[in-house]
Amino acid sequence: MEVELLVQLILGKAEFLNPGGSVKDRIAVKIIEEALASGQLAPGGVVIEGSAGSTAISLATVAPAYGCKCHVVIPDDVAIEKSQILEALGATVERVRPVSITHRDHFVNVARRRASEANEQALKHRETSQTPNKDREQTTGEIPEEQEKNLKFSRDCTGGFFADQFENLANFRAHYEGTGPEIWEQTEGKLHAFVAAAGTGGTVAGASQFLKEKSANIKCFLIDPPGSGLFNRVTKGVMYSKEEAEGKRLRNPFDTITEGIGINRLTQNFMMARLDGAFRGTDKEAVEMSRYLLKKDGIFLGSSSAMNCVGAVRVAQALGPGHTIVTILCDNGMRHLSRFYKAEYLSQLGLTPSATALEFLGLP
């Protein structure tokens, strides 16, 4: 994507063209390769992750190429097509209700437990496989066929590995070693700013740190959706505003239709970011931006990609004419049909798009 705005250039890195359809392909490869190299994962093992969608899809796409399977724990309020894609890719999908990260049944915490369970099962299988059948029957009271019914993972599972995209710094390294250098090379170093939203924080952290090391003059920014505390963290040094103080916040603070971005805790990945500032985006702006880009440039983007583009325009407005700004087009709109692109759903939330240009951002 290339958009001229007030004698400025906004460039979008088209990560939705990756084989798995999103920027998360980069971290899926990096996480699995590092896990195999360290021995935390072995061929025949199960890569397990708690994900709102894109990372899960990338892991499910990549894992078979390394001789592994994929088990995904996903919130049951995300777009249904993400679960359908995962199942089509051969992943096991476990849908859970959305709760706070502090709750034991948060999708990330469930995924962590499933990895432990897979390892326990693999260990027991190795132990029993070394025991003669007769002794095994006397010890367990079950024959192998009956045991099979109680297994949570396949009998040939060699163990589980919790991908842990939020805290695993392979995420950061994928973008520090890949995305950042590519942006620098593809722009020939002629960029003035980079902006992106954060979910795990890996993209904005890896790219910002690399670009800052190449040139301290490059400004790096965060664009944050409703319900997320990162905007306050970057601009005020605290995660919560007075209205969001502990004990006053809603049970589910993520009151946004943008999926995969926004968070109310600091991850190991996000803490690696080098940011000069942050902007707050709205759901309405993301919806309007997605339709604007579809009509003007023929680009069909997902919700987080649209929010990134909102951020790019905000940066352009802040810096003034004569600057080149880069952002990430994380995924396309095909994974967002049942919510972000569904007219009835948007109407119920008062988010029906109506703009004819960029007037929703104060531009003609």
Side-chain angles (χ1 to χ4, degrees):
M1 181 193 75
E2 184 173 310
V3 179
E4 289 190 22
L5 179 69
L6 302 175
V7 200
Q8 291 159 313
L9 192 62
I10 293 178
L11 302 174
K13 189 162 174 55
E15 292 294 298
F16 61 84
L17 296 178
N18 289 333
S22 82
V23 67
K24 298 298 187 178
D25 281 13
R26 294 176 179 271
I27 73 169
V29 170
K30 190 68 171 174
I31 285 173
I32 292 176
E33 287 187 345
E34 287 194 7
L36 288 168
S38 68
Q40 293 175 282
L41 175 67
V46 181
V47 180
I48 302 172
E49 182 61 305
S51 169
S54 289
T55 299
I57 291 170
S58 292
L59 287 169
T61 302
V62 171
Y66 292 92
C68 300
K69 297 179 181 179
C70 189
H71 182 104
V72 178
V73 184
I74 191 169
D76 63 11
D77 63 343
V78 303
I80 189 62
E81 51 267 33
K82 292 185 179 180
S83 292
Q84 294 170 334
I85 293 170
L86 285 165
E87 290 171 346
L89 289 169
T92 300
V93 180
E94 182 177 351
R95 294 172 68 88
V96 299
R97 64 190 179 93
V99 292
S100 167
I101 186 65
T102 59
H103 196 289
R104 73 182 304 273
D105 290 331
H106 184 274
F107 63 95
V108 171
N109 297 330
V110 173
R112 184 181 288 105
R113 287 204 303 277
R114 294 292 178 263
S116 295
E117 291 165 0
N119 285 325
E120 291 171 5
Q121 177 187 303
L123 177 60
K124 289 180 180 178
H125 179 63
R126 286 194 296 270
E127 290 174 346
T128 55
S129 65
Q130 297 171 3
T131 305
N133 286 342
K134 184 176 180 180
D135 292 341
R136 184 162 66 242
E137 289 177 28
Q138 292 174 348
T139 302
T140 65
E142 294 180 307
I143 60 174
E145 289 75 14
E146 291 172 331
Q147 290 179 13
E148 187 88 40
K149 299 176 183 178
N150 297 321
L151 297 180
K152 292 184 179 178
F153 300 92
S154 64
R155 179 174 290 279
D156 60 355
C157 171
T158 60
F161 170 72
F162 177 44
D164 198 13
Q165 60 169 322
F166 288 88
E167 308 300 336
N168 189 338
L169 288 179
N171 183 345
F172 162 81
R173 288 188 286 273
H175 297 291
Y176 179 80
E177 298 171 7
T179 312
E182 288 177 22
I183 290 172
W184 178 260
E185 292 168 8
Q186 290 164 355
T187 60
E188 298 180 339
K190 299 174 182 177
L191 74 156
H192 301 93
F194 171 77
V195 59
T200 64
T203 304
V204 71
S208 67
Q209 188 165 134
F210 178 86
L211 292 172
K212 285 284 193 180
E213 289 177 3
K214 296 300 289 187
S215 173
N217 293 324
I218 298 175
K219 303 296 184 182
C220 296
F221 299 93
L222 171 78
I223 177 71
D224 212 29
S228 175
L230 297 180
F231 171 82
N232 287 329
R233 175 68 185 190
V234 174
T235 60
K236 301 175 183 178
V238 294
M239 287 294 288
Y240 309 118
S241 67
K242 185 182 299 182
E243 293 75 22
E244 296 172 317
E246 202 65 40
K248 297 181 180 179
R249 300 171 65 224
L250 299 176
R251 185 172 74 79
N252 183 9
F254 297 101
D255 187 18
T256 177
I257 63 168
T258 58
E259 296 182 359
I261 55 175
I263 193 170
N264 271 321
R265 70 182 192 277
L266 289 177
T267 67
Q268 292 295 316
N269 284 289
F270 185 79
M271 286 191 286
M272 302 294 286
R274 295 179 60 182
L275 299 173
D276 295 283
F279 298 88
R280 176 76 82 185
T282 69
D283 284 345
K284 180 67 171 176
E285 290 168 348
V287 170
E288 294 285 11
M289 179 61 78
S290 67
R291 274 56 174 188
Y292 171 82
L293 292 172
L294 182 60
K295 293 176 183 177
K296 187 177 186 302
D297 295 302
I299 304 175
F300 185 43
L301 297 179
S303 59
S304 55
S305 299
M307 187 64 82
N308 280 352
C309 292
V310 170
V313 174
R314 290 299 187 203
V315 172
Q317 291 172 312
L319 296 185
H323 295 91
T324 297
I325 297 120
V326 175
T327 192
I328 303 292
L329 307 184
C330 315
D331 65 354
N332 65 35
M334 294 302 292
R335 299 175 183 177
H336 302 266
L337 300 179
S338 64
R339 294 187 63 187
F340 192 69
Y341 281 97
K342 189 171 184 178
E344 293 174 276
Y345 178 78
L346 294 179
S347 177
Q348 292 171 1
L349 298 175
L351 296 174
T352 299
S354 58
T356 57
L358 289 173
E359 64 266 29
F360 58 95
L361 291 176
L363 294 169

